[in-house]
Structures are given as structure tokens and as C-alpha cells.
Amino acid sequence: MLSFGVEIPFVSHLGFTLHRMEAGESELRYTAQAEHLNSFAVTHGGATMTLMDVAMATAARSEVPDDVGVVTIEMKTSFMFAARGPLVARGKLLHRTKSLAFTEASIYDAEGRLCSHATGTFKYMARPAQPSAAVPTD
């Protein structure tokens, strides 16, 4: 298991683990806990979207120095199959400019079925010197 390089409290709370972050690609793994399920007893869409958001951000960050982070500008998600059990998310950097990253991510269940897919745009940002500093969005 790899380090995300920064502390992300919500990601730690959900229990995501990083298994690949290189050459514009990422792989994360996640098994939803009972409190992360919806009323149909499958992984809540919010947890699924967060997993893809982090997979895309990690793929985008794989090609920049550690003092550069990313913030989500937009994300489009499609849900194709109920996400049950251990999940694998794969993120990919499709294109980048000096300030933007265009990415995609997919989530697969233990049987290899595609559960959901997302595309996202991220803005590269210099990390603030202090963790409490506000992160600008413009």
C-alpha cells in the first residue's frame, strides 16, 4: 500500500487504500462499511463518487511535484451496476495543461464488473505553506 502524500481526513475515514500512483494512472481499493451503504445495502453513491474523485485526483497528481495539489473543478458520473463488496477504482490522466488535468475513473466490483465511470477536470494548485490556509477556487 502506498501513501497519498498528504493527509486527507475524509479518505482516511472511508478507508481508501492507494495501490498505484504513477505515469498518469492510479489504483485505489475500498470496501464499504455498514455506515457507507444506502437503503438498498450497496455502496452509497456519494462514497462511490468520492472514490472516483480521489482516483482521478491521484492520477493527475502522479505527474507533478509533491508541493502541487489539485482541486476538483467538475465531475460527471454514471452508475451502471450496484457496487457491492470490495471495489477497485482505476484513475487515468487523459490530458493536462499547465493548470488543468482532464481525467477519468472507473470502479469495478470483485467479479470485474464495471459499476461506475466518471470524468473530471482538476486545477493544479501550489500547496499552501500551512494546512489551515484557505484553498482558493478561482
Side-chain angles (χ1 to χ4, degrees), residues 9-32:
F10 190 52
V11 169
S12 297
H13 168 74
L14 289 170
F16 298 171
T17 57
L18 180 63
H19 295 264
R20 178 181 163 95
M21 181 182 171
E22 63 184 347
E25 296 183 355
S26 67
E27 181 175 303
L28 284 73
R29 297 185 189 165
Y30 167 60
T31 301

Side-chain angles (χ1 to χ4, degrees), residues 13-131:
H13 168 74
L14 289 170
F16 298 171
T17 57
L18 180 63
H19 295 264
R20 178 181 163 95
M21 181 182 171
E22 63 184 347
E25 296 183 355
S26 67
E27 181 175 303
L28 284 73
R29 297 185 189 165
Y30 167 60
T31 301
Q33 302 301 308
E35 61 270 21
H36 305 154
L37 303 180
N38 65 19
S39 62
F40 292 96
V42 298
T43 305
H44 190 282
T48 302
M49 289 180 73
T50 301
L51 181 59
M52 288 189 290
D53 181 59
V54 175
M56 291 186 291
T58 305
R61 286 181 44 235
S62 72
E63 294 198 338
V64 296
D66 290 341
D67 63 344
V68 175
V70 295
V71 294
T72 309
I73 300 300
E74 64 84 28
M75 180 174 173
K76 191 263 185 202
T77 304
S78 297
F79 299 97
M80 282 83 74
F81 195 80
R84 291 184 175 91
L87 303 174
V88 174
R90 293 190 179 99
K92 184 173 183 180
L93 176 62
L94 301 172
H95 178 73
R96 79 172 276 226
T97 67
K98 182 178 178 181
S99 61
L100 296 175
F102 301 89
T103 63
E104 69 177 358
S106 296
I107 293 180
Y108 302 89
D109 67 12
E111 284 76 44
R113 289 179 289 223
L114 177 64
C115 297
S116 52
H117 180 265
T119 57
T121 306
F122 295 80
K123 183 176 181 180
Y124 288 106
M125 306 278 300
R127 286 201 182 281
Q130 300 174 355

